[in-house]
Amino acid sequence: MSSTGHINGSCDNIIYWFNDVSKHAGRVQTETLRQILVQNFETEYLKKWLKDTNIQEMDAKTLESLYTRVVPLVSHADLEPYIQRIADGEKEPLITKEPIKFLSLSSGTSEGRQKLVPFTQHSSKTTLLNFKIGGAYRSRAYPTREGGRILEFIYSSKGYRTRAGIKIGTATAHYYASDEFRLKQEETNSFTCSPEAVISCGDYKQSTYCHLLLGIHFSDQVEFVTSAFAYSIVQAFTTFEENWREITDDIMDGRLSSRVSIQSVRDAVLEIVSRPNPNLATRVQSICEELEGKDWFGVIPKLWPNAKYVYSIMTGAMLPYLTKLRHYSGDLPLVSGDYGSTESWIGVNLDPLLPPEKVTFAVVPTFSYFEFIPLHRQVLGSNSAADDFIEADPVPLSQVKKGQEYEIVLTTFTGLYRCRLGDVVEVAGFHYNTPKLNFICRRKLILTVNIDKNTEKDLQLVVDKGSQMLKSSRAELVDFTSHADVSNQPGHYVIYWEIKGDVEDRLLEECCKEMDASFVDHGYVVSRKCNSIGPLELCIVERGTFNKIMENFIANGASLNQFKTPRCTSNPALLRVLSLCTKKRFHSTAYGS
Ligand code: AMP
């Protein structure tokens, strides 16, 4: 069995293959590790740890136990010097035998810093395979018409080359430029509405405008609406609310607004839409006029009557956008996307009928060699450890237990060896013998002043509670982030909110108090009671602030495709934007101060 499988043909074949590798997940993992090591044992990194062991002669089981005994657990920072040498053009095999021509930028928005990760043809192949497995389960649940269109809000980053000629871009940018992306469309016989020039133009505003225009042009043929992360769909329909008149005027006259200025994009789009279509334009105009009065509820099924579902990653950091996505999607089912990272694809959503809140990801045991570090929540009141969990020794995939939380460790075909991913997952169950994971959060502590420890998930729960109160004013939370401000004593948490709608100060004071009182972390509660952490501060920022933040990330090489609002930041440039845009501040009175 090859690491990406030999899968052509029907959904049934793919599901049969996936069931087979899942039944033998433990053995498949051992064999996957062997393949990675046999391919790469002559690299500088592996030689350092495996020395001159004759691994080709060794059986896979013995090799697995040797590998996990002698190769250390590392984080991305430990491998960075090797990756930097690749970027600088060093030709010796450092971490992979196959020369690396591409490096991917992982979004890094959770940690506020971008990381470089090797990308090879293997990466594109697994993306295609991942898509086929997920696609097979989706088309069982929601059959789509062959030859139809997909309205995809997808974006490539601009990318650049290092002085040594290594291409740097996001993993998705490499994928969209690969044969596999073309193959995916041919093999699944469903085609994205936008030509390549639109996807890769590097200006997300122009791309979004064209995606919407072309989506409407092909409106009867669109079978589903999708993006990598849910944020992009919400972002696109916020744009649509503002630009729909211009889009329908373009369709009416068979022209393209001057806001699309990149010539190659203009040429590619006009080739498709240059014939005036007054019938379509009038129909869409009357739908939009009606929807404007309904705050755009159900815009997606109204404009794309044949769409069967909306498909995107809606879990983890995307949960806060779910309310808005449901609003735009009306009665269309939401199907939550698969689980992966720039480092490796991990698991597939096998239950497309489940709502996003209940989605799990079945690990595909051929993608990488996965290990799992058991994590145990600290006993309440303990304040000695620098981290939020106590760790046990990593276990292989075949030994994970239902209900246990783990951090994922990856050994990939692209040169990462026992590298911590930084994500916390819980084993929710099994598909035959491969675990189905629940994504919990990014591992890194995000809010901490002293003994308090709050994760992304804790913050999300607190913000959910506070923002529920906005409903009474018919206002909504657009986006949020936070900061642990220790510049003055005592330190305190600052939460930034962008809100749509008018809200009285009195209510915002209540929201602030509610959030402060909703952090249940024992360290926080104790510190607040004795005022070693000061009152929580709620800052209301101007409309459009989070757009500026997103643009700031894109200007630094990220793409809209992978953008995730950082839920906590200490990045000075971001804090400056937030501070300049703050128009109101409230301080909590939850603990009497
Ligand atoms: P990137 O660094 O841009 O490749 O982003 C990868 C990270 O996005 C993962 O490590 C996760 O933290 C997050 N992520 C990816 N897929 C999902 C998913 N289905 N649910 C929740 N979080 C996800």
Side-chain angles (χ1 to χ4, degrees):
M1 181 192 320
S2 94
S3 57
T4 47
H6 299 291
I7 301 160
N8 289 311
S10 73
C11 294
D12 288 348
N13 285 350
I14 291 156
I15 292 176
Y16 179 85
W17 173 87
F18 182 60
N19 286 343
D20 192 45
V21 291
S22 303
K23 282 176 195 163
H24 307 106
R27 183 163 57 71
V28 171
Q29 275 281 275
T30 307
E31 185 50 39
T32 300
L33 176 66
R34 198 184 117 80
Q35 281 181 29
I36 295 174
L37 297 180
V38 167
Q39 271 177 32
N40 297 306
F41 73 97
E42 285 167 318
T43 56
E44 182 177 317
Y45 187 79
L46 282 181
K47 273 197 206 147
K48 177 172 163 190
W49 301 109
L50 295 172
K51 311 271 189 270
D52 46 12
T53 315
N54 188 352
I55 67 160
Q56 275 157 312
E57 301 283 294
M58 225 176 232
D59 73 89
K61 204 73 206 138
T62 317
L63 184 54
E64 182 178 18
S65 75
L66 173 80
Y67 175 76
T68 51
R69 208 173 54 245
V70 301
V71 176
L73 282 180
V74 293
S75 66
H76 184 271
D78 299 303
L79 295 171
E80 232 163 35
Y82 293 88
I83 297 175
Q84 193 51 52
R85 283 164 63 194
I86 295 169
D88 292 342
E90 204 166 314
K91 293 278 182 291
E92 291 302 303
L94 297 176
I95 51 175
T96 54
K97 185 79 199 309
E98 183 191 347
I100 289 171
K101 297 191 198 109
F102 300 109
L103 291 172
S104 296
L105 286 163
S106 82
S107 60
T109 44
S110 316
E111 291 177 5
R113 194 169 67 88
Q114 291 194 307
K115 299 177 283 184
L116 284 176
V117 179
F119 184 96
T120 63
Q121 205 202 348
H122 186 273
S123 320
S124 291
K125 282 194 173 155
T126 47
T127 304
L128 177 58
L129 176 54
N130 183 75
F131 182 87
K132 284 187 184 172
I133 304 170
Y137 282 89
R138 258 183 299 131
S139 57
R140 270 189 174 180
Y142 302 106
T144 51
R145 203 172 42 83
E146 286 222 7
R149 295 265 172 188
I150 314 170
L151 171 52
E152 293 192 270
F153 293 100
I154 51 178
Y155 307 82
S156 281
S157 63
K158 273 198 188 111
Y160 59 94
R161 278 183 195 273
T162 65
R163 264 187 290 151
I166 305 289
K167 225 172 154 192
I168 306 221
T170 55
T172 40
H174 296 317
Y175 171 64
Y176 297 141
S178 72
D179 283 347
E180 280 72 18
F181 182 59
R182 188 181 44 75
L183 263 175
K184 182 205 95 171
Q185 305 195 53
E186 283 167 11
E187 286 184 16
T188 55
N189 198 13
S190 51
F191 299 86
T192 186
C193 292
S194 299
E196 212 272 328
V198 170
I199 299 167
S200 64
C201 85
D203 177 323
Y204 86 90
K205 285 187 181 154
Q206 296 191 39
S207 297
T208 303
Y209 187 90
C210 297
H211 285 323
L212 288 163
L213 175 73
L214 292 160
I216 290 178
H217 174 83
F218 291 115
S219 57
D220 289 342
Q221 299 173 43
V222 168
E223 292 292 306
F224 65 97
V225 176
T226 185
S227 69
F229 286 94
Y231 175 85
S232 307
I233 302 184
V234 171
Q235 161 77 25
F237 284 96
T238 313
T239 305
F240 186 75
E241 288 184 27
E242 288 158 16
N243 294 336
W244 68 270
R245 284 179 201 281
E246 212 169 321
I247 292 174
T248 50
D249 286 350
D250 279 357
I251 289 176
M252 179 74 82
D253 302 335
R255 63 182 176 84
L256 180 59
S257 156
S258 59
R259 69 170 67 236
V260 179
S261 61
I262 299 171
Q263 196 55 46
S264 56
V265 179
R266 293 192 65 81
D267 293 345
V269 174
L270 280 168
E271 201 171 299
I272 305 169
V273 300
S274 59
R275 195 177 292 164
N277 193 342
N279 280 346
L280 176 63
T282 317
R283 179 161 64 83
V284 173
Q285 271 163 355
S286 79
I287 291 174
C288 290
E289 273 155 16
E290 190 194 326
L291 285 172
E292 243 185 345
K294 296 183 180 162
D295 198 19
W296 300 96
F297 178 79
V299 55
I300 299 179
K302 276 270 189 239
L303 291 181
W304 291 281
N306 295 319
K308 313 291 185 295
Y309 55 88
V310 174
Y311 171 61
S312 189
I313 292 174
M314 300 169 192
T315 35
M318 295 299 121
L319 279 173
Y321 307 110
L322 210 48
T323 311
K324 195 71 188 174
L325 192 62
R326 284 209 163 101
H327 182 83
Y328 286 138
S329 306
D331 56 2
L332 265 190
L334 297 185
V335 181
S336 195
D338 305 320
Y339 175 31
S341 66
T342 307
E343 289 82 347
S344 169
W345 277 103
I346 298 165
V348 184
N349 173 7
L350 305 184
D351 308 294
L353 293 168
L354 288 181
E357 291 86 347
K358 299 215 165 124
V359 159
T360 58
F361 309 98
V363 177
V364 181
T366 59
F367 281 170
S368 286
Y369 177 70
F370 301 97
E371 290 173 83
F372 297 82
I373 302 176
L375 300 174
H376 301 282
R377 302 230 170 219
Q378 295 222 47
V379 184
L380 281 185
S382 150
N383 59 13
S384 55
D387 204 345
D388 49 341
F389 295 103
I390 295 171
E391 295 183 358
D393 289 337
V395 295
L397 177 142
S398 56
Q399 284 175 30
V400 297
K401 302 257 177 316
K402 187 172 167 184
Q404 172 64 49
E405 288 185 337
Y406 299 93
E407 177 179 351
I408 296 186
V409 175
L410 295 170
T411 295
T412 69
F413 283 89
T414 57
L416 305 180
Y417 301 100
R418 306 197 81 209
C419 185
R420 290 164 180 264
L421 180 62
D423 284 351
V424 180
V425 296
E426 180 195 28
V427 174
F430 290 87
H431 176 69
Y432 296 105
N433 291 312
T434 201
K436 286 169 105 177
L437 307 176
N438 214 333
F439 180 88
I440 303 292
C441 59
R442 297 288 298 179
R443 166 92 194 253
K444 218 166 131 351
L445 272 181
I446 61 164
L447 275 172
T448 178
V449 167
N450 49 44
I451 60 164
D452 51 310
K453 302 171 188 74
N454 282 296
T455 64
E456 193 167 323
K457 179 108 177 176
D458 299 323
L459 174 69
Q460 212 147 310
L461 291 172
V462 162
V463 170
D464 273 354
K465 270 197 148 179
S467 59
Q468 284 297 322
M469 300 168 78
L470 295 175
K471 281 196 182 144
S472 61
S473 294
R474 301 179 137 264
E476 64 185 80
L477 183 65
V478 175
D479 223 329
F480 68 93
T481 189
S482 67
H483 171 59
D485 182 353
V486 288
S487 56
N488 289 307
Q489 285 303 321
H492 71 292
Y493 292 1
V494 187
I495 297 183
Y496 297 89
W497 275 10
E498 180 176 325
I499 302 174
K500 184 177 173 193
D502 294 322
V503 186
E504 283 182 15
D505 288 0
R506 202 179 32 80
L507 181 60
L508 291 170
E509 264 162 27
E510 284 304 308
C511 295
C512 176
K513 186 173 167 187
E514 175 73 16
M515 287 197 287
D516 199 11
S518 301
F519 280 104
V520 290
D521 166 58
H522 188 68
Y524 186 77
V525 175
V526 169
S527 306
R528 282 291 290 119
K529 281 186 180 157
C530 68
N531 204 33
S532 61
I533 294 182
L536 182 138
E537 182 178 350
L538 171 62
C539 293
I540 308 297
V541 295
E542 287 162 9
R543 283 303 307 275
T545 303
F546 281 85
N547 238 8
K548 282 191 193 153
I549 291 176
M550 182 261 289
E551 284 174 0
N552 188 303
F553 273 99
I554 290 178
N556 287 317
S559 88
L560 183 57
N561 238 23
Q562 61 176 176
F563 176 74
K564 305 160 201 79
T565 298
R567 294 298 174 210
C568 179
T569 185
S570 46
N571 174 330
L574 275 193
L575 288 174
R576 214 168 19 253
V577 175
L578 289 164
S579 156
L580 283 173
C581 296
T582 295
K583 49 178 196 177
K584 282 183 183 169
R585 288 172 196 277
F586 302 91
H587 290 93
S588 155
T589 51
Y591 289 87
S593 46

